[in-house]
Amino acid sequence: MKLLGLQPPGTPRPSTGQAPAPENQDAPPRRLSTLGVVIASVAVAFGAGAGSPLFVLYQREWGFPDWQLTTAFTVYAVTLLATLLVAGSVSDHIGRRPVLVGALVLLLLTSALFLLADGIGWIIAARAVQGMATGAATSTFTAAIIELASPRHRPMMTVLTSAAPVGGLALGALFAGVAVQFTSHPTAVVFTGLAVVLVYGVVSVLAAPETAVRRPGVLASLRPRLTVMPAARAWFWSLAPLVAAGWMFSGLFLGLAPSFDSSVFNIHSGAANGAVVALQPLSAAAAGMAFGRVEAERATRVGAALVLSGAVLAVSGVAAANLPLVITGALAGGAGQGAAFGSSLRILGPLADNARRGGLFAAVYLIAYTAYGVPVLAAGIASDAVGLSATVVAYGVLVAALAAVAGVSLTLRARKGSRITAATAGK
């Protein structure tokens, strides 16, 4: 496996890898198709977030053990990671539209599997396909939306793409929780509605112009690797623990909250369960948009501090069976994730051209979804041995440690930058 996947010496690259821009990037048809692409990117995460409240319902109806519940959550992350690792750079070679259309069609298949499901095996299969589709779509949507935007709107669209995944997770959890509580067929309500939006997404992607020039090397790009070019490498490794801390904290709520809602806080209402699950990603989406106006390097440091404090508050609340403390932690840590992830993309995005931006974002999302899924699977296994509360505390300690490491690294980097600036100004 090639890490830091630099292209082999001699591999041909176009100077920009950028498709010719349409004459008017702000024309109404262009704006409408871009809006449809953004909505489709939110729908991808919506389907993933909808699973959390529904899994509790399935467990109650079908009677499967907790480890199968966490397996259904984690198989999504595992297949997503595998797809990102293998196919994260494919859109840099064949274009954004083919990858996005293929991913959206796979998500339509996922909806069909959920609608047909009558046992946990169907759900695990559906989540595996969902992970594959999301892995293909996530970094490609991020690159495509940024490239579709006009230069003056590009910073705003970068912030929007960082908020879309967590915003979609929150909307999916909220909508599914309400459907569980107030409808007799929540799976049909959730996934039939999602299928309609996905079809709209396919139409929007096909209507949007292609932003990446086709270039050779697609088969070589399927070799597992992380594409982090030299210009972005230093920042990438400084931001990696921060991205991991934020998404691991998100996994705490999307993956484990349905279990501790029931066992620690005796929450059995579908709507209430969905609300608790959604608090963290909802806060992340809102903060990601709000911090878009804050200087990116400063926002990463603020994000690290918020994730650290949120992790301490949330796990303290679970250990003490104090729901208001958990809610406060969810809001604080969620805000930290939103500030950190959005600003990380703002820092890294300009460091790559269109020819390699999809691969760079694939590397970012590989770290994000590894932190989002793998610890939850380990926590689900550990909770059978040591108990859920102790597992959540250990989980939170690891999140806090990652946030602290990131905070120290970014602070040192900022001080070094200030010294260099001062020395340059003094000459």
Side-chain angles (χ1 to χ4, degrees):
M1 180 185 299
K2 290 186 179 181
L3 297 180
L4 300 180
L6 304 176
Q7 294 289 345
T11 300
R13 285 194 182 279
S15 59
T16 64
Q18 185 170 339
E23 292 183 5
N24 187 358
Q25 290 181 306
D26 286 325
R30 172 73 170 243
R31 291 201 301 269
L32 286 174
S33 61
T34 302
L35 175 62
V37 174
V38 172
I39 291 172
S41 74
V42 175
V44 171
F46 178 100
S52 295
L54 290 173
F55 292 162
V56 177
L57 174 66
Y58 299 151
Q59 187 178 36
R60 188 164 60 243
E61 290 182 350
W62 300 333
F64 52 83
D66 284 343
W67 70 267
Q68 289 186 335
L69 181 70
T70 54
T71 298
F73 175 85
T74 307
V75 71
Y76 162 82
V78 171
T79 55
L80 187 155
L81 292 171
T83 306
L84 266 177
L85 194 58
V86 173
S89 300
V90 166
S91 74
D92 288 338
H93 296 271
I94 68 172
R96 312 298 185 208
R97 288 194 300 180
V99 174
L100 292 178
V101 170
L104 293 173
V105 170
L106 277 180
L107 287 170
L108 285 168
L109 174 60
T110 298
S111 295
L113 290 172
F114 270 103
L115 292 170
L116 294 171
D118 59 2
I120 186 61
W122 282 83
I123 299 302
I124 292 173
R127 291 285 284 180
V129 176
Q130 188 178 48
M132 291 171 56
T134 306
T138 300
S139 61
T140 308
F141 265 124
T142 301
I145 292 168
I146 291 172
E147 293 159 5
L148 283 168
S150 62
R152 69 190 181 97
H153 290 142
R154 191 159 290 178
M156 179 190 71
M157 297 303 282
T158 302
V159 172
L160 183 62
T161 59
S162 73
V166 286
L169 290 171
L171 291 173
L174 278 173
F175 188 83
V178 170
V180 168
Q181 185 69 30
F182 298 109
T183 71
S184 56
H185 301 287
T187 299
V189 170
V190 169
F191 286 100
T192 301
L194 178 60
V196 173
V197 178
L198 291 172
V199 170
Y200 169 68
V202 171
V203 173
S204 297
V205 169
L206 291 174
E210 180 58 73
T211 59
V213 171
R214 292 187 178 224
R215 60 192 181 93
V218 63
L219 293 179
S221 76
L222 296 176
R223 289 177 295 184
R225 59 185 165 189
L226 300 180
T227 305
V228 182
M229 60 290 304
R233 195 175 301 171
W235 265 115
F236 180 86
W237 289 117
S238 293
L239 294 168
L242 181 58
V243 171
W247 280 88
M248 188 176 172
F249 188 72
S250 188
L252 174 65
F253 283 86
L254 272 294
L256 297 179
S259 296
F260 65 67
D261 281 354
S262 176
S263 62
V264 177
F265 300 111
N266 295 313
I267 297 175
H268 302 293
S269 160
N273 182 275
V276 173
V277 169
L279 277 174
Q280 188 275 338
L282 191 63
S283 175
M289 299 297 291
F291 274 86
R293 298 180 178 274
V294 178
E295 189 267 327
E297 294 183 27
R298 181 185 177 191
T300 58
R301 299 192 296 274
V302 174
L306 286 171
V307 172
L308 173 59
S309 61
V312 172
L313 289 170
V315 300
S316 298
V318 172
N322 185 322
L323 185 59
L325 203 58
V326 172
I327 290 173
T328 303
L331 294 173
Q337 183 196 6
F341 192 61
S343 56
S344 296
L345 293 184
R346 281 194 287 147
I347 290 170
L348 293 171
L351 300 178
D353 57 28
N354 284 21
R356 289 176 283 185
R357 188 173 288 116
L360 176 60
F361 286 146
V364 174
Y365 281 106
L366 185 71
I367 288 176
Y369 281 106
T370 298
Y372 176 69
V374 175
V376 172
L377 178 60
I381 296 170
S383 64
D384 289 336
V386 301
L388 184 61
S389 293
T391 300
V392 169
V393 169
Y395 191 108
V397 168
L398 181 54
V399 172
L402 285 168
V405 168
V408 170
S409 173
L410 292 166
T411 299
L412 291 175
R413 187 181 183 92
R415 289 178 179 175
K416 181 179 178 181
S418 297
R419 288 196 298 269
I420 293 173
T421 301
T424 302
K427 289 182 179 180

